[in-house]
């Protein structure tokens, strides 16, 4: 949570920085364009003012040379009527406010207005004219408040000294009127900082500079103050004005010196468009940044959610694996128990089979024993009578019988033995022969004949000799049980595919419930007396499966049951001996 807050704070900071930078750059760019255009306009306005004043200046100089003017100047006491008429005409034509002719003493000797006789000797522009130069001044008429440009041209006497001055007074409105409608605010200030000429009424005689105005202007300009504040932005002068509804509030201040008229041209350009544009750019940058931030944030959130889910899943997986391990251990324990139980069952089954066979076996062993006894007794008699040949013959028979008994006992011992060996290569013919020999008495008792033709070549299979013999004994015994009234049990063995197929067929009544015969304790035989434990086939099933083989039991179409065992064939040549 803390990390998320930090990231958010950093993001907000970066967004603010970006937005600020975009605003600053856009505003500076906008201002530079405004300044460029403003400077061009200001230059034009300055040129226009200078040009108009130049005309009046030239007019004053020309008039000072007029014969009627000079005539009166040389003889100030002559009749001024002609000169006055000239001055009036000229003032009308040029739009000058007033044209005056001053004597060398500064007295008005002729005028387009009515000031004749007044003394103007103290005025600076007159003094300057009397020195032979062109006097120039700005004036404000105290009575009317009119602002005037004043030119004073010297009138030279033929022999040298200045005989008087021609003064032209021009109202500023005359020049202002031509550029009143311009969109850009322009004003011209003298060194005191008072706006003497402007294309906006509000600015006339306004004072912007910090300097003191000249006393005569200060008297009029007094307290008109428009500028609230002056700041700097990117090298530009930004003025905040409080000039009423017709003046923009925030402006850029531009200046341009006009030395010819001893003034400074100044302009105020509305910067609202540049500010609006900068605001727009900044808003767009902010929006884009916030949008991008939102996308990044959403992605981060999704990644975090994914990571969380993965962690949860990993934990669940670990738990699951733990449980699987536990189960696997339990299962292998159970398997081990099952294997032990199976081994015990096999042994129990064998003992049960031995019990079943015991009658037959004792008969089997008794018969040769009785025969041996009578052969031995006869042999003794033959020896007594000196019939050595016959006695030897009997001894040979005894030997045969003893060998036969030995074989039976060996088979029994092998059958009862608990086999420890796993799976190896077994000679199938020998196992079948031994199984038949063990069950011979039983088959004989039931009147059943065995049909077994050993294969031409030995058949080797994968299995355990003792256990495989047990399976066959079991199948043959079951066949004998099923055919108590006599019949034939046929045993065959042949290769099939990569395996060996062993079949035990009988001519009995067939299997009552083929689906259930391999179930433990399923038996249709009478309980007790060693018969019908219902374990024989289930044990056989386990043994054959343990060899990697298959065992099936079904009824033959022609009657009787058939049990088929499929075992893997041993690799040829491995057990040729
Ligand atoms: P048990 O022989 O002790 O009954 P088995 O598992 O060996 O147990 O046999 C189970 C049952 O399968 C027998 O009770 C019998 O019903 C049936 N069965 C086995 N072999 C044959 C056969 N050759 N013919 C008919 N039924 C058979």
């Amino acid at each position: 949570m803390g990390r998320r807050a930090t990231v958010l704070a950093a993001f907000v900071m970066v967004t603010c920085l970006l937005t600020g930078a975009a605003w600053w750059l856009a505003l500076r760019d906008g201002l530079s364009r405004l300044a460029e255009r403003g400077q061009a306009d200001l230059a034009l306005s300055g040129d226009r003012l200078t040009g108009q004043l130049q005309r009046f200046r030239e007019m004053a100089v020309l008039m000072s040379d007029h014969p009627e003017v000079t005539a009166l100047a040389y003889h100030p006491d002559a009749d001024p009527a002609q000169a006055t008429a000239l001055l009036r005409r000229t003032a009308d034509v040029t739009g000058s406010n007033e044209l005056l002719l001053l004597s060398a003493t500064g007295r008005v000797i002729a005028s387009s207005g009515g000031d004749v006789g007044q003394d103007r000797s103290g005025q600076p522009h007159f003094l300057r004219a009397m020195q032979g130069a062109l006097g120039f001044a700005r004036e404000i008429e105290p009575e009317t408040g009119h602002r005037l440009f004043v030119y004073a041209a010297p009138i030279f006497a033929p022999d040298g000294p200045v005989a008087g001055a021609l003064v032209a007074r021009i109202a500023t409105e005359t020049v202002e009127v031509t550029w009143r409608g311009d969109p850009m605010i322009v004003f011209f200030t003298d060194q005191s900082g008072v706006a003497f000429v402007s294309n906006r009424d509000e600015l006339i005689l306004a004072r912007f500079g910090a300097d003191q105005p000249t006393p005569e202007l200060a008297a009029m300009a007094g307290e008109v103050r428009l500028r609230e504040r002056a700041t700097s932005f990117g090298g530009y002068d930004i003025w905040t004005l409080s000039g009423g509804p017709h003046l923009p509030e925030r402006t850029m201040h531009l200046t341009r010196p006009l030395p010819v008229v001893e003034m400074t041209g100044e302009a105020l350009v509305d910067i609202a468009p540049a500010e609006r544009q900068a605001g727009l750019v900044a808003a767009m940058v902010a929006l884009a940044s916030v949008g991008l931030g939102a996308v990044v944030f959403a992605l981060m959130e999704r990644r975090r959610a994914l990571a969380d889910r993965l962690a949860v899943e990993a934990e669940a997986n670990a738990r699951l694996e733990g449980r699987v391990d536990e189960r696997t251990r339990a299962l292998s324990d159970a398997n081990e128990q099952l294997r032990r139980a199976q081994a015990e069952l096999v042994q129990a089954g064998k003992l049960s089979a031995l019990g079943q066979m015991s009658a037959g076996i004792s008969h089997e062993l008794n018969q040769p024993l009785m025969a041996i006894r009578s052969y031995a007794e006869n042999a003794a008699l033959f020896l007594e009578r000196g019939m050595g040949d016959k006695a030897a013959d009997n001894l040979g028979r005894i030997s045969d019988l003893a060998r036969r008994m030995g074989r039976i006992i060996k088979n029994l011992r092998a059958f009862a033995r608990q086999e420890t060996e796993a799976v190896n290569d077994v000679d199938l013919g020998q196992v079948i022969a031994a199984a038949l020999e063990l069950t011979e008495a039983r088959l004989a008792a039931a009147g059943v004949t065995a049909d077994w033709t050993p294969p031409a070549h030995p058949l080797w299979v994968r299995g355990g000799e003792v256990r495989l013999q047990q399976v066959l004994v079991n199948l043959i015994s079951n066949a004998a049980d099923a055919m108590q009234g006599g019949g034939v049990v046929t045993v065959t063995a042949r290769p099939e595919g990569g395996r060996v197929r062993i079949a035990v067929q009988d001519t009995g009544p067939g299997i009552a419930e083929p689906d259930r015969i391999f179930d433990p304790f399923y038996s249709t035989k009478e309980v007790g007396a060693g018969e019908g434990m219902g374990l024989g086939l289930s044990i056989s099933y386990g043994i054959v499966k343990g060899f990697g083989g298959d065992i099936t039991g079904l009824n033959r179409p022609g009657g009787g049951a058939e049990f088929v065992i499929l075992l893997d064939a041993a690799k040829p040549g491995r057990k040729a001996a």
Side-chain angles (χ1 to χ4, degrees):
M1 210 52 224
R3 222 196 74 185
R4 203 177 302 188
T6 316
V7 167
L8 198 71
F11 170 72
V12 166
M13 227 163 71
V14 166
T15 300
C16 286
L17 275 176
L18 271 180
T19 307
W23 177 82
W24 196 88
L25 285 173
L27 185 58
R28 210 188 51 172
D29 181 59
L31 287 185
S32 98
R33 263 179 299 172
L34 283 182
E36 216 170 289
R37 215 177 43 226
Q39 277 293 359
D41 286 357
L42 182 58
L44 212 65
S45 297
D47 287 352
R48 210 146 47 173
L49 177 67
T50 332
Q52 278 168 325
L53 289 181
Q54 188 76 7
R55 225 179 68 212
F56 288 104
R57 180 179 170 226
E58 278 162 11
M59 186 261 297
V61 171
L62 281 176
M63 286 299 288
S64 71
D65 222 18
H66 198 282
E68 281 173 18
V69 170
T70 49
L72 190 62
Y74 299 156
H75 310 283
D77 298 322
D79 181 12
Q82 276 190 332
T84 305
L86 172 73
L87 292 182
R88 279 198 182 137
R89 238 185 6 258
T90 314
D92 275 355
V93 171
T94 56
S96 313
N97 217 35
E98 200 178 15
L99 291 176
L100 305 162
L101 180 56
L102 302 187
S103 71
T105 58
R107 189 169 57 87
V108 177
I109 49 176
S111 161
S112 65
D115 302 331
V116 177
Q118 278 182 359
D119 179 17
R120 303 263 173 110
S121 58
Q123 291 182 331
H125 53 269
F126 169 73
L127 295 177
R128 192 144 167 69
M130 287 316 285
Q131 287 163 3
L134 182 73
F136 176 65
R138 290 171 295 275
E139 266 180 24
I140 298 170
E141 270 183 354
E143 314 86 47
T144 59
H146 285 150
R147 292 153 295 135
L148 299 161
F149 286 111
V150 184
Y151 281 106
I155 301 167
F156 294 99
D159 49 357
V162 179
L166 187 107
V167 175
R169 289 157 58 83
I170 305 111
T172 51
E173 279 94 345
T174 321
V175 294
E176 277 169 354
V177 79
T178 54
W179 32 277
R180 189 127 282 189
D182 283 7
M184 192 176 73
I185 301 169
V186 177
F187 58 96
F188 296 90
T189 54
D190 58 15
Q191 68 272 28
S192 65
V194 172
F196 191 71
V197 181
S198 173
N199 63 352
R200 291 288 192 286
D201 284 340
E202 293 93 331
L203 263 63
I204 287 167
L205 294 185
R207 187 156 60 85
F208 296 107
D211 305 342
Q212 283 301 309
T214 53
E216 45 179 343
L217 284 181
M220 291 307 303
E223 292 312 311
V224 187
R225 290 202 68 142
L226 292 170
R227 196 179 65 187
E228 285 281 299
R229 205 153 13 98
T231 50
S232 174
F233 178 91
Y236 299 106
D237 244 1
I238 305 298
W239 285 13
T240 309
L241 301 183
S242 58
H246 304 300
L247 292 181
E249 210 170 287
R250 293 180 48 74
T251 59
M252 176 167 47
H253 177 234
L254 303 171
T255 61
R256 181 184 175 82
L258 293 178
V260 179
V261 291
E262 293 169 22
M263 287 198 284
T264 306
E266 301 185 34
L268 291 174
V269 185
D270 189 359
I271 61 168
E275 283 183 326
R276 264 200 306 276
Q277 188 153 353
L280 210 69
V281 168
M284 264 157 56
V285 166
L287 212 72
S289 169
V290 166
L292 197 80
V295 168
V296 167
F297 189 69
L299 283 179
M300 261 167 54
E301 281 300 288
R302 234 180 55 191
R303 217 186 56 182
R304 193 201 309 277
L306 206 70
D308 285 356
R309 223 175 55 210
L310 283 181
V312 167
E313 272 172 21
E315 202 182 306
N317 271 351
R319 267 207 308 272
L320 205 68
E321 271 167 30
R323 272 219 298 273
V324 167
D325 280 355
E326 227 169 79
R327 288 286 147 83
T328 309
R329 255 197 314 278
L331 208 63
S332 53
D333 284 356
N335 260 344
E336 177 57 24
Q337 274 170 17
L338 193 69
R339 210 187 50 73
R340 270 205 305 272
Q342 226 167 25
E344 278 163 19
L345 271 179
V346 167
Q347 198 57 22
K350 280 198 291 202
L351 294 180
S352 140
L354 275 178
Q356 280 174 33
M357 290 186 292
S358 61
I361 290 163
S362 57
H363 169 74
E364 191 78 353
L365 291 178
N366 258 335
Q367 215 187 9
L369 210 57
M370 302 301 272
I372 285 171
R373 211 169 79 192
S374 61
Y375 281 132
E377 283 166 6
N378 290 348
L381 286 177
F382 287 138
L383 280 179
E384 269 176 32
R385 294 174 198 168
M387 298 163 75
D389 292 1
K390 291 235 175 183
D393 190 38
N394 271 17
L395 288 175
R397 282 165 201 247
I398 288 171
S399 166
D400 279 351
L401 285 169
R403 201 171 300 123
R404 178 172 148 81
M405 287 177 73
R407 215 164 54 237
I408 289 171
I409 289 166
K410 186 180 148 219
N411 277 341
L412 271 176
R413 234 192 13 233
F415 184 75
R417 195 177 73 222
Q418 197 154 9
E419 191 170 48
T420 48
E421 216 177 335
V423 178
N424 53 24
D425 293 354
V426 176
D427 184 350
L428 186 60
Q430 274 180 20
V431 173
I432 293 174
L436 282 171
E437 207 166 332
L438 267 176
T439 49
E440 201 180 297
R442 204 159 166 191
L443 290 172
V448 173
T449 40
D451 177 2
W452 160 244
T453 316
H457 306 287
L459 277 176
W460 292 89
V461 295
R462 299 289 294 158
E465 195 172 346
V466 175
R467 282 169 291 171
L468 187 54
Q469 186 182 319
Q470 184 188 352
V471 171
L472 287 164
V473 165
N474 193 25
L475 293 183
I476 296 163
S477 302
N478 275 350
D481 288 345
M483 301 182 291
Q484 279 306 316
V488 182
V489 61
T490 312
V491 183
T492 54
R494 62 181 159 84
E496 187 180 87
R499 312 179 96 184
V500 174
R501 183 183 196 275
I502 307 143
V504 179
Q505 298 175 346
D506 64 46
T507 54
I511 305 162
E513 290 173 288
D515 287 346
R516 297 188 55 197
I517 47 175
F518 293 111
D519 293 349
F521 305 110
Y522 170 74
S523 176
T524 54
K525 295 168 194 168
E526 270 174 42
V527 183
E531 291 212 17
M533 266 189 41
L535 283 174
L537 285 181
S538 60
I539 289 169
S540 301
Y541 184 87
I543 290 170
V544 173
K545 284 282 170 192
F547 297 157
D550 282 310
I551 178 168
T552 49
L554 42 86
N555 291 319
R556 286 195 296 151
E562 178 181 37
F563 286 83
V564 173
I565 300 170
L566 284 169
L567 290 174
D568 290 336
K571 294 258 155 41
R574 236 202 343 207
K575 200 119 183 185

